[in-house]
Amino acid sequence: METVAISPGRGIRETVNSVLAERWVKGVCIGLVGVWLFVLVALPLWTLLSKSLYDRQEHFVGLANFIRFFSEPVLFSSLGHSLFVSLTTVAFALPLGFAYAYCLSRTRIPGKKVFRALAMSPLFAPTLMHGLVLIYLFGKKGLVTKGFFGTLTAFFGFPVGWDIGLYGATGIIIAEALYAFPPVFLILSVALSMSDARLYEAAEALGASRLRTFLTVTLPGVKFGLVSAFFVCFISSFTDFGAPKVVGGNYNVLATDIYKQVIGQQNFFMGATVSVILLIPTALAFLANHIIQRRQTSAVEAKAVPYAPEPNKLRDTVSFLYCAFISCLFLTYLATGVYASLVDVWPYKLGLSLRHYDFGAMGGGGYDSFWNSLRMALYTAVFGCMTAFFSAYVLEKFREFPKMRQICSQLSLLPMALPGLVIGLAYIFFFNKPGWDVAGLFIPNPLTSLYGTMAILVLSNLIYFHTVSFLTASTALKQLDYQFESVSESLSAPFTRLFFRVTAPVCLPAILEIGYYFFVRSMTTLSAVIFLYSADLPIAVVAVANMDDAGDTAPALAMCVLIAAANLIVRLLYGVVTSGLRKRTSAWSRR
């Protein structure tokens, strides 16, 4: 039963009225979160699911679209291709990311900050750029294919003029492995940093070899991180659209099939069917990961002692060489992208020129598309911070209406399982729908005016990246003792005062991190906006795709370089601001 604290100097009736008013305000806040998520997540998804049961004439056909998908070899093969690409990407990215994280966490090598920064560099560019750079390296006229790197390829044992057969599964897997490496590395770095040093001391005392210690202590200690990294890598490669579009060739995957059905054939209903099929493995992977993470939380019972590696010359040398090799690959990739965007005519006139940055003569919207992307990313960052942190605060700190909060929490996790193409197509159906016929009464849709505007692009990004930001905010809020709320209630102080004076200032680093995440992901995502942009409102990543379709590969790569540069500048600003906050917090704690 909820108790009411009566502050000195206030009457009982006044205190009770204040508590009831605050309870009402909290109920309104929870309701706003519920309406926000219901309107922008549940309703569009339900609209998409229902459209998959209709044909082009909008006649109800039940499961006929799904039967057609699995009965036509051309369509059904895309599912097998997507699974093969995703699992193969995991097979490469997971061990490479684990080894990189292990070297930085369990050795005494120098330059760890540099290695960490380079490991995250692929996230600054869209997956379209990964595919474009691979074309300049391994395409028909690529540096490696034509032997321009003959000395280097011969050094590593490859023949001069090495053709890897880029277009198809090979190119998609390499591009997806590049993009999946940073999150895999990040997840496993956190998992390895949480290992208990006492277990290693016990293994050493028992005379266990290093291999046995690795197999019986290290791997079991990071098993949840490995599983989480597996599912994150699988989902990102299974749902990505950018890399398959650039280097996929005739190798169809589900993401490109959705695009072809919607854009190529204008068959929105079959596109909805393929979207549902794309959604099922993603949702199952997310659900499995969520269940496993809940088990991990309940398994942590004691505070672990941080592991501090001892110097080992052989191990540290090998680890340094491995990290340097992986970092050099990333640097080569970035340098190739910048260099290729400056070459006059590839590969015939290798003189440097800025003519590919003159987007006025190219399709796709020119520099307007880049400024629109900056504007979209900025709006997404600002409103994303507000919605994600407000939702997390309401669901984490309030104790009223537990069932409603639980439903809202589940809706907050749902976007993590939704591919960007699914969100984009669902928004087409939902925001284009004039209204609903309920029991003979027509209810108009008040949101139709948002279609084709900047608002719908921002909303799609807010929902697409909501879950990660919501979990980040929830984690930061859980670190604040609930006694703050208890003391505030005992003093009859409104929760808004506590929020603005304590909660928000303490969580400011997490809020800035959420804003940075929203900005970078909004600048690089293609799948969430490919169906929603309009000709009057071009977007940079869409301009890249359009220029690549038109054969303007170098200008497309130049636009990618601008996107990566903008994200790098924001990352540097984020680092400067958060560094200042940490110094101020440290100085305050020493008083």
Side-chain angles (χ1 to χ4, degrees):
M1 180 177 179
E2 187 175 347
T3 60
V4 178
I6 302 177
S7 63
R10 298 183 64 180
I12 296 177
R13 178 174 297 180
E14 183 182 356
T15 302
V16 171
N17 290 337
S18 176
V19 171
L20 292 177
E22 184 165 304
R23 177 180 173 85
W24 183 85
V25 172
K26 289 182 177 180
V28 171
C29 292
I30 297 173
L32 288 175
V33 173
V35 170
W36 156 263
L37 294 171
F38 182 74
V39 172
L40 294 180
V41 179
L43 284 181
L45 183 59
W46 173 255
T47 305
L48 174 72
L49 296 175
S50 63
K51 289 296 183 181
S52 66
L53 304 178
Y54 289 80
D55 61 11
R56 286 190 175 189
Q57 290 72 38
E58 298 197 31
H59 297 149
F60 181 80
V61 294
L63 299 177
N65 290 331
F66 294 92
I67 295 173
R68 177 191 166 192
F69 177 88
F70 288 103
S71 60
E72 293 189 11
V74 176
L75 292 175
F76 180 63
S77 63
S78 298
L79 176 60
H81 291 168
S82 293
L83 291 172
F84 172 76
V85 165
S86 302
L87 293 175
T88 308
T89 300
V90 171
F92 282 100
L94 191 61
L96 289 175
F98 176 80
Y100 200 90
Y102 185 88
C103 290
L104 295 186
S105 303
R106 300 302 176 86
T107 66
R108 299 287 291 272
I109 62 175
K112 289 186 177 182
K113 290 185 178 180
V114 176
F115 288 142
R116 287 183 182 275
L118 289 174
M120 305 306 294
S121 60
L123 291 181
F124 293 156
T127 52
L128 290 165
M129 182 175 178
H130 303 327
L132 292 172
V133 172
L134 289 175
I135 291 175
Y136 279 94
L137 287 172
F138 300 104
K140 298 301 182 181
K141 298 179 181 179
L143 292 173
V144 176
T145 308
K146 287 298 183 180
F148 293 109
F149 284 165
T151 303
L152 182 63
T153 55
F155 176 78
F156 286 107
F158 301 132
V160 175
W162 184 39
D163 187 354
I164 65 172
L166 176 68
Y167 299 99
T170 302
I172 299 174
I173 291 168
I174 296 175
E176 298 298 353
L178 277 170
Y179 190 70
F181 183 91
V184 168
F185 158 73
L186 193 60
I187 292 171
L188 294 176
S189 293
V190 174
L192 286 166
S193 65
M194 296 176 64
S195 298
D196 194 344
R198 294 172 297 180
L199 298 176
Y200 292 90
E201 294 174 358
E204 184 179 359
L206 293 173
S209 63
R210 293 179 180 174
L211 177 61
R212 185 174 179 83
T213 301
F214 177 79
L215 295 176
T216 58
V217 178
T218 303
L219 289 182
V222 298
K223 61 182 179 182
F224 293 107
L226 286 170
V227 172
S228 182
F230 174 92
F231 285 122
V232 168
C233 183
F234 176 86
I235 292 173
S236 66
S237 56
F238 190 81
T239 61
D240 181 58
F241 170 67
K245 186 181 186 306
V246 175
V247 294
N250 296 323
Y251 193 85
N252 291 334
V253 294
L254 288 177
T256 54
D257 269 357
I258 296 174
Y259 182 78
K260 291 176 181 178
Q261 291 290 338
V262 174
I263 302 299
Q265 303 180 26
Q266 294 293 301
N267 190 346
F268 288 86
F269 298 92
M270 196 62 193
T273 302
V274 181
S275 297
V276 173
I277 295 171
L278 177 69
L279 176 62
I280 292 174
T282 305
L284 292 176
F286 172 76
L287 181 61
N289 184 44
H290 180 62
I291 293 173
I292 291 172
Q293 293 307 312
R294 290 183 62 182
R295 290 184 57 188
Q296 179 190 18
T297 302
S298 62
V300 178
E301 299 177 353
K303 187 176 181 180
V305 177
Y307 178 81
E310 297 293 333
N312 184 300
K313 188 174 182 179
L314 177 61
R315 180 204 61 195
D316 293 348
T317 301
V318 173
S319 298
F320 179 82
L321 292 176
Y322 173 77
C323 292
F325 174 72
I326 297 295
S327 299
C328 284
L329 291 181
F330 288 141
L331 283 175
T332 301
Y333 153 78
L334 293 174
T336 301
V338 175
Y339 173 68
S341 69
L342 296 172
V343 169
D344 192 11
V345 180
W346 186 279
Y348 307 107
K349 296 180 180 179
L350 299 181
L352 301 184
S353 169
L354 291 175
R355 73 183 189 90
H356 299 306
Y357 287 85
D358 182 13
F359 301 115
M362 307 296 171
Y367 276 101
D368 287 342
S369 64
F370 180 70
W371 302 125
N372 287 336
S373 286
L374 286 177
R375 199 155 53 95
M376 178 187 68
L378 182 61
Y379 293 157
T380 304
V382 173
F383 290 106
C385 286
M386 295 169 58
T387 55
F389 192 78
F390 177 75
S391 300
Y393 178 79
V394 166
L395 301 181
E396 184 66 33
K397 291 300 183 180
F398 291 177
R399 291 296 179 262
E400 292 77 9
F401 309 103
K403 291 185 178 180
M404 188 182 298
R405 287 190 294 105
Q406 184 178 9
I407 294 173
C408 292
S409 296
Q410 296 302 319
L411 285 176
S412 294
L413 297 177
L414 183 58
M416 188 70 173
L418 301 180
L421 288 173
V422 173
I423 293 176
L425 192 55
Y427 274 29
I428 288 180
F429 291 131
F430 178 71
F431 285 92
N432 264 339
K433 194 175 183 65
W436 300 272
D437 190 1
V438 181
L441 178 64
F442 181 77
I443 302 177
N445 184 358
L447 302 176
T448 53
S449 60
L450 297 180
Y451 191 77
T453 66
M454 176 66 74
I456 195 172
L457 298 176
V458 173
L459 288 175
S460 65
N461 285 326
L462 289 181
I463 294 303
Y464 189 26
F465 308 121
H466 174 78
T467 301
V468 173
S469 303
F470 171 79
L471 293 176
T472 301
S474 297
T475 302
L477 289 167
K478 286 178 180 177
Q479 296 176 356
L480 295 177
D481 198 327
Y482 191 72
Q483 293 299 320
F484 285 111
E485 279 72 20
S486 300
V487 172
S488 178
E489 291 175 1
S490 67
L491 296 175
S492 296
F495 72 91
T496 53
R497 184 181 302 174
L498 177 67
F499 176 83
F500 287 110
R501 292 191 176 183
V502 178
T503 307
V506 172
C507 295
L508 187 57
I511 295 174
L512 292 175
E513 182 179 353
I514 292 170
Y516 162 70
Y517 173 79
F518 269 117
F519 184 93
V520 172
R521 294 305 306 271
S522 298
M523 285 292 293
T524 58
T525 183
L526 173 65
S527 57
V529 298
I530 187 65
F531 294 145
L532 300 175
Y533 82 101
S534 66
D536 298 330
L537 195 65
I539 301 299
V541 286
V542 179
V544 173
N546 292 336
M547 286 187 286
D548 179 64
D549 286 340
D552 298 323
T553 307
L557 189 55
M559 183 67 79
C560 289
V561 171
L562 289 181
I563 294 173
N567 287 333
L568 179 60
I569 292 173
V570 172
R571 176 64 183 88
L572 294 175
L573 291 175
Y574 166 76
V576 171
V577 174
T578 53
S579 176
L581 286 175
R582 283 193 294 267
K583 290 180 180 178
R584 189 177 66 178
T585 304
S586 177
W588 179 82
S589 63
R590 289 195 297 266
R591 292 179 182 176

